[in-house]
Amino acid sequence: MEFFIALLALGLLLALHRIGRLATAVTELRDRLEQMAPEAVSSELPARPAPQAASRGTGLRTETDAAYLPPPAQAPNSPASERAPQTSSIANPGPAPMPRLRPTSSPQPREEQPSAVDRIVARVTQYFTGGNLVVRVGVIVLFFGVAFLLQYANAQGAFNVPIEFRLAAVAFMGLGLLGLGWWLRRKRRTYGLILQGGGLGITYITVFAAMQLYEVLPSGVSLLLLVVMVGLAGALAVLQNSSSLAVIAVIGGFLAPILTSTGQGSHIALFSYYLVLNVGILGVAWFRPWRALNLLGFVFTFVIATLWGVLEYRPRDRPSAQIFLILFFVFYVLIAVLYARRQPPHVRGVVDATLVFGVPVVAFGLQAGLVSGTEYGLAISAVVLSAFYAAGRQLCRVLGGPAYLLLSRAFLSLALVFGSLSIPLAFDGEWVATAWAIEGAAVLWIALKQRSRLTVLFALGLQAVAGLLYIPVALFDRFATLAVANAVFLGGLLLAIAGFVSSWLLRQAVRKWGYRPSWRWASWVMAGWALAWWLGNGMLEIFNYVDVPTAGVVALLFIAATAVALGLLEVWLRWAEWRFTSAGLLAFMVWAVIPVSINRQHPFADGFGWGWLAMFAALYTLLWVREIRRDVPAVLLAALHTGAWWLGAFLLAVEAMWLLDLATGDWFALGVPVVLVPMVCAAVGMPGWPLARHRRTYLGWGSGLPVAGLIAWSLLIAPARSGDFDPLPHLPMLNPLDLAQLFVLITLVFWWRRAHDVLLVRWPRRYGWVLACGLAFAWLSTMLLRALHQWSRLDYTPGAMWNSDLAQASVSILWTLIALTAMVLATARAWRRVWVAAVGILGVVVVKLFIVDMQGSDTLGTIIAFIAVGLLLLLAGYLSPLPPKRVPDTEEPQTHQPSV
């Protein structure tokens, strides 16, 4: 097998090679032809025959020749006689024009386009080889190498050179890189800046190692040197206007103590060193708005502080840690202010949001760890932060200008946040949630009026936090003696009201106050939030204070009243968020029906009928309002009517089956047709709203499920029932089950004729008649079997009927009679297809006789069946011959007159 695959691959390669050579040859030939004028080509090639000769079939010209011979030169506006093709050069004695030959210069070779793989390789190579990436990588590798060398020397005691000389050599190497970078700043700016950054980083790590690892330098001298180097790095970055230099220096400065740490140093030395670095960042921020530098300092400072707090913090370290945390916090708040001061007013994003909002969040989290054992410590911290940001907001207002406008709003939001946060840290959760909910709605109104986006987000977030805080209270603290008039329910009610007010304010902001339409999502979110609290709080109150049988009814009434109220709000206030309340109500009703289906309960038990009646009344009221306002897509409106009709059919059918099941026998089987037959008939022709107004909807999709249910009942449920309707005697066609099947059949025919004329015009009408005949066939067969059960006491089970010779013979005779009747009718009406179908039934009967009935050939029933079927077949052959095919009327062929 491998040999043949190899041969196939070799053949493919040779074929591809041959195709490539042919393509090259064709390309060369095309290039040569492009260099020659059409006249020159026509003079060298044989003359083209005239079209007349070609049409006479001379055989001198083929399609291949015509494809390769160029046309003769013609004047664009010459008459037809002049444009006629010439058969030879003798027939045209005029002087031939000189051919316009192209210059005979050698063709320029075409530049081959690189492939996609070549382009990718080129881009990758350029990325890794272009610019100063090698220098950058070299500096980084050198920096880490020095750090690891110093750490290794400290751990292993390597080298015999005194540590002072080793540190001095490393420091001189860093200063040498710094000086070389300064010297190259004008010739090769990027190269020089990278060298300066690497030199500063190496110097940082050398000084810190001398202080922390080897204790060669006192802490005071080391701190002074670090201050000098930080100032030098900031000055170099500002003088050369190089943020990259500042970034490299800051990264090296922050990584120095991490790379040289042995885990035994003092946190005071570490944070003092970081304090010096942050002073340098603050100084740079005074002159340059370099966001990357500010973010790096913030991330390094607080991430390292957090790690130290998680891994190394001890309660005895609280005073010093508190001082450092306050200093770092103040530094980065000032950096945010300086960043806003240095930005031009027209630039977007004046406020560095990461610093403005990230610093207080992280700092407050660290503060929570520091004061975790102090009573009201975190609440006092929140109050202090709120006062701090309130003062900062006032300072921004004093400074004025557009650069501080957005920052002042951010500080106001933070002041409100921490002021609100102090409430739950000092009081109970119920009062916190209530206060926050009301405060959130009030702040939202002010923020929307002032067009402060940050404050709007703060107000919405405040309500969200209030709701999350209130969830445990709402679920587990409902122990009051009075329903509704208790603090828990009222607190949830205030949360819902605040959400409704917020949604309405956001809607007004878009509609009247000039906000962008994209703000509508916030209105929808708050509407959903408010509705969830309204319904959840109400349902919890109902099921906690009302007995279980009655609680369900009250819950349905509560949902129905809520839906109607929301519909009225939408109409009166033009509140578009509640436009689809009807869809939500229908979805809830479908969900509420699921327990009925699972537990097999009747839906109107324990007074639930009043609840369902209220639900349907509310649903159709909302549908009527939607139809008047015409603000819902027609497709959705039709779907809602269809869903409501289906749900009503299901509930009524289940309830009818339960009521009829109270009697003995098969009465409960009539529950489906008792409900669905009137509903289908109403959909076909009942006047009034909504059936007459939406006739196509109820006749089509609305009747789809009831019609399918009636068909399934006729084919599956009714044949499975024996027809025991005590105390009524059993009479074929006159017992309730047979009459119900007959009414179902008539109803389906009635529906099909109307639906076909209105909706299904393109469908052949015979589809409905075929279905009706099939249902009639099943009805007659089951009616016979039920009669045999009632009269001969034959068990009405599939096994008993299958093994009964009497049942098999009776069925064979009945099917033959049905087929004979159909054949006679088909012959009289010339229905060829019906006749063929009847013959098919006879074929089934014959096969059944020889396979099933013949097993009891020694019984009287089988013998009678054979005889009766045989006679009927003879009668059928005599009375109903095959109808002839319908030959369409022949029409005389139309003669097409030539058009003038």
Side-chain angles (χ1 to χ4, degrees):
M1 186 65 181
E2 291 81 358
F3 176 74
F4 288 108
I5 294 175
L7 285 180
L8 180 59
L10 180 59
L12 290 175
L13 290 176
L14 291 176
L16 292 175
H17 177 67
R18 182 62 176 171
I19 293 172
R21 292 185 60 185
L22 291 175
T24 305
V26 171
T27 303
E28 293 176 358
L29 180 60
R30 183 181 59 191
D31 293 338
R32 292 179 182 178
L33 289 176
E34 288 178 355
Q35 296 175 14
M36 304 173 65
E39 294 83 0
V41 177
S42 63
S43 63
E44 295 177 1
L45 295 175
R48 188 174 57 177
Q52 292 81 358
S55 63
R56 289 170 186 159
T58 59
L60 298 178
R61 181 187 180 189
T62 62
E63 294 182 359
T64 307
D65 298 330
Y68 284 97
L69 293 180
Q74 298 175 0
N77 297 323
S78 60
S81 61
E82 298 178 1
R83 295 195 303 268
Q86 306 298 326
T87 58
S88 67
S89 60
I90 301 175
N92 188 11
M98 294 296 292
R100 292 175 295 178
L101 298 178
R102 294 183 181 179
T104 59
S105 60
S106 60
Q108 297 293 334
R110 295 188 175 183
E111 296 182 0
E112 297 183 358
Q113 297 293 333
S115 63
V117 178
D118 295 336
R119 289 196 297 268
I120 294 174
V121 172
R123 290 187 179 181
V124 173
T125 304
Q126 182 181 4
Y127 177 80
F128 282 104
T129 58
N132 291 312
L133 184 62
V134 176
V135 181
R136 300 167 192 167
V137 175
V139 170
I140 294 174
V141 172
L142 177 63
F143 178 78
F144 277 85
V146 171
F148 296 149
L149 176 63
L150 293 175
Q151 188 174 9
Y152 178 81
N154 178 53
Q156 302 295 332
F159 311 114
N160 295 322
V161 181
I163 189 62
E164 292 84 356
F165 289 97
R166 280 180 270 163
L167 293 174
V170 174
F172 277 116
M173 182 176 62
L175 293 175
L177 289 176
L178 178 62
L180 180 61
W182 175 260
W183 182 64
L184 294 174
R185 73 186 187 280
R186 299 185 184 276
K187 298 180 181 179
R188 301 181 63 180
R189 172 179 170 81
T190 305
Y191 188 89
L193 291 175
I194 294 175
L195 290 182
Q196 293 178 49
L200 286 172
I202 292 174
T203 310
Y204 282 149
I205 196 172
T206 304
V207 174
F208 191 84
M211 176 187 67
Q212 186 76 8
L213 298 179
Y214 306 107
E215 298 181 355
V216 175
L217 293 177
S219 59
V221 176
S222 300
L223 186 60
L224 179 61
L225 289 176
L226 291 174
V227 170
V228 171
M229 283 186 293
V230 170
L232 177 62
L236 290 175
V238 173
L239 289 175
Q240 300 175 86
N241 195 21
S242 172
S243 61
S244 61
L245 176 60
V247 168
I248 292 175
V250 166
I251 292 176
F254 276 103
L255 287 179
I258 298 175
L259 296 174
T260 58
S261 175
T262 60
Q264 299 178 354
S266 171
H267 73 281
I268 296 179
L270 175 67
F271 290 127
S272 298
Y273 170 72
Y274 281 165
L275 187 63
V276 174
L277 288 179
N278 284 298
V279 170
I281 295 173
L282 180 62
V284 173
W286 181 270
F287 298 98
R288 294 288 187 271
W290 290 337
R291 184 174 185 270
L293 182 67
N294 301 336
L295 289 180
L296 281 174
F298 165 68
V299 170
F300 273 112
T301 300
F302 284 96
V303 168
I304 295 174
T306 303
L307 292 176
W308 174 84
V310 173
L311 300 176
E312 302 293 337
Y313 173 75
R314 299 293 183 270
R316 63 176 181 273
D317 302 330
R318 180 183 298 175
S320 59
Q322 183 72 76
I323 294 174
F324 283 118
L325 179 59
I326 294 173
L327 291 176
F328 290 147
F329 170 76
V330 173
F331 275 2
Y332 281 97
V333 172
L334 292 177
I335 287 173
V337 174
L338 293 177
Y339 180 79
R341 182 181 69 87
R342 298 297 303 179
Q343 285 288 78
H346 63 275
V347 176
R348 292 186 178 182
V350 175
V351 176
D352 188 349
T354 305
L355 291 183
V356 172
F357 295 102
V359 169
V361 170
V362 176
F364 194 72
L366 295 176
Q367 179 68 14
L370 292 177
V371 298
S372 59
T374 305
E375 186 179 4
Y376 300 113
L378 200 56
I380 296 173
S381 301
V383 172
V384 172
L385 280 176
S386 177
F388 175 83
Y389 278 108
R393 190 248 183 180
Q394 189 64 28
L395 176 63
C396 291
R397 291 175 62 88
V398 171
L399 295 175
Y404 293 102
L405 178 61
L406 188 58
L407 187 63
S408 65
R409 293 176 178 175
F411 282 177
L412 176 61
S413 301
L414 290 171
L416 293 175
V417 166
F418 287 107
S420 302
L421 194 60
S422 62
I423 298 175
L425 299 175
F427 299 102
D428 192 9
E430 296 182 21
W431 301 104
V432 171
T434 304
W436 279 7
I438 299 174
E439 181 183 357
V443 172
L444 179 64
W445 178 71
I446 297 174
L448 290 174
K449 287 291 186 179
Q450 295 181 351
R451 307 185 70 85
S452 175
R453 180 179 300 179
L454 293 176
T455 311
V456 169
L457 296 178
F458 160 72
L460 297 178
L462 188 62
Q463 293 190 54
V465 174
L468 295 177
L469 184 63
Y470 198 75
I471 288 176
V473 178
L475 291 176
F476 306 111
D477 291 347
R478 294 181 180 270
F479 302 113
T481 57
L482 294 177
V484 179
N486 58 78
V488 177
F489 175 78
L490 294 178
L493 180 63
L494 290 176
L495 277 169
I497 293 175
F500 283 122
V501 172
S502 300
S503 176
W504 169 247
L505 290 174
L506 290 166
R507 181 70 182 176
Q508 291 296 101
V510 176
R511 191 172 66 182
K512 293 184 178 180
W513 300 341
Y515 278 72
R516 294 181 179 179
S518 57
W519 278 91
R520 290 178 180 173
W521 68 268
S523 178
W524 284 96
V525 170
M526 292 308 299
W529 171 265
L531 184 61
W533 272 106
W534 170 266
L535 295 178
N537 190 43
M539 299 292 279
L540 287 173
E541 194 75 2
I542 290 172
F543 283 98
N544 273 276
Y545 291 96
V546 182
D547 296 337
V548 174
T550 311
V553 181
V554 177
L556 293 181
L557 295 175
F558 172 68
I559 297 295
T562 300
V564 174
L566 293 178
L568 295 177
L569 286 177
E570 189 274 333
V571 173
W572 291 340
L573 302 179
R574 298 178 61 189
W575 201 341
E577 279 70 15
W578 309 117
R579 184 181 304 165
F580 302 101
T581 304
S582 54
L585 179 59
L586 180 60
F588 174 81
M589 294 169 68
V590 173
W591 175 81
V593 168
I594 294 177
V596 176
S597 303
I598 296 176
N599 300 327
R600 297 183 180 180
Q601 300 173 354
H602 66 108
F604 297 162
D606 300 324
F608 270 81
W610 299 107
W612 284 113
L613 181 62
M615 297 284 280
F616 276 97
L619 178 60
Y620 276 98
T621 300
L622 295 176
L623 292 178
W624 178 70
V625 172
R626 296 275 67 79
E627 185 175 342
I628 294 176
R629 296 182 64 84
R630 296 182 179 180
D631 53 0
V632 172
V635 176
L636 177 60
L637 194 62
L640 293 175
H641 278 279
T642 301
W645 195 246
W646 288 0
L647 184 62
F650 175 80
L651 291 174
L652 291 175
V654 173
E655 184 66 20
M657 292 177 67
W658 181 85
L659 290 174
L660 292 173
D661 192 36
L662 298 177
T664 58
D666 295 332
W667 289 97
F668 77 95
L670 302 177
V672 174
V674 164
V675 173
L676 297 187
V677 167
M679 293 192 71
V680 173
C681 294
V684 172
M686 185 175 180
W689 187 89
L691 296 172
R693 179 69 178 82
H694 301 276
R695 181 68 67 196
R696 296 178 63 88
T697 298
Y698 283 93
L699 190 61
W701 288 104
S703 299
L705 187 62
V707 166
L710 290 176
I711 295 174
W713 180 86
S714 298
L715 296 177
L716 299 177
I717 298 178
R721 313 315 307 171
S722 61
D724 294 328
F725 293 97
D726 294 334
L728 298 178
H730 181 83
L731 295 175
M733 293 188 62
L734 296 179
N735 64 83
L737 193 57
D738 291 341
L739 289 175
Q741 282 188 276
L742 179 60
F743 282 123
V744 167
L745 179 59
I746 296 172
T747 301
L748 292 176
V749 172
F750 178 55
W751 170 83
W752 170 255
R753 295 184 62 182
R754 179 63 173 165
H756 181 272
D757 295 338
V758 176
L759 300 174
L760 308 175
V761 180
R762 296 183 179 181
W763 289 22
R765 191 181 290 272
R766 63 176 179 271
Y767 289 175
W769 291 113
V770 170
L771 178 61
C773 292
L775 294 176
F777 184 83
W779 169 54
L780 293 174
S781 300
T782 54
M783 183 174 58
L784 173 64
L785 295 178
R786 279 195 290 265
L788 293 176
H789 163 70
Q790 295 291 338
W791 291 347
S792 64
R793 297 304 175 186
L794 182 65
D795 292 340
Y796 194 76
T797 60
M801 293 295 176
W802 180 265
N803 297 322
S804 172
D805 298 331
L806 176 62
Q808 294 295 337
S810 301
V811 169
S812 298
I813 295 173
L814 174 65
W815 288 2
T816 306
L817 289 173
I818 293 173
L820 176 60
T821 305
M823 291 175 66
V824 172
L825 184 62
T827 302
R829 297 295 184 90
W831 292 343
R832 188 181 179 89
R833 294 179 179 177
V834 176
W835 190 93
V836 172
V839 171
I841 296 176
L842 290 177
V844 172
V845 172
V846 172
V847 172
K848 175 179 174 295
L849 285 174
F850 286 96
I851 294 179
V852 180
D853 297 49
M854 200 171 183
Q855 295 178 1
S857 57
D858 54 346
T859 60
L860 181 61
T862 303
I863 297 173
I864 294 175
F866 270 82
I867 295 174
V869 171
L871 292 175
L872 292 174
L873 289 175
L874 292 176
L875 185 62
Y878 177 77
L879 295 176
S880 57
L882 176 65
K885 293 184 179 180
R886 291 186 179 182
V887 180
D889 296 336
T890 58
E891 298 181 357
E892 295 182 0
Q894 299 180 358
T895 58
H896 298 280
Q897 299 294 334
S899 59
V900 180

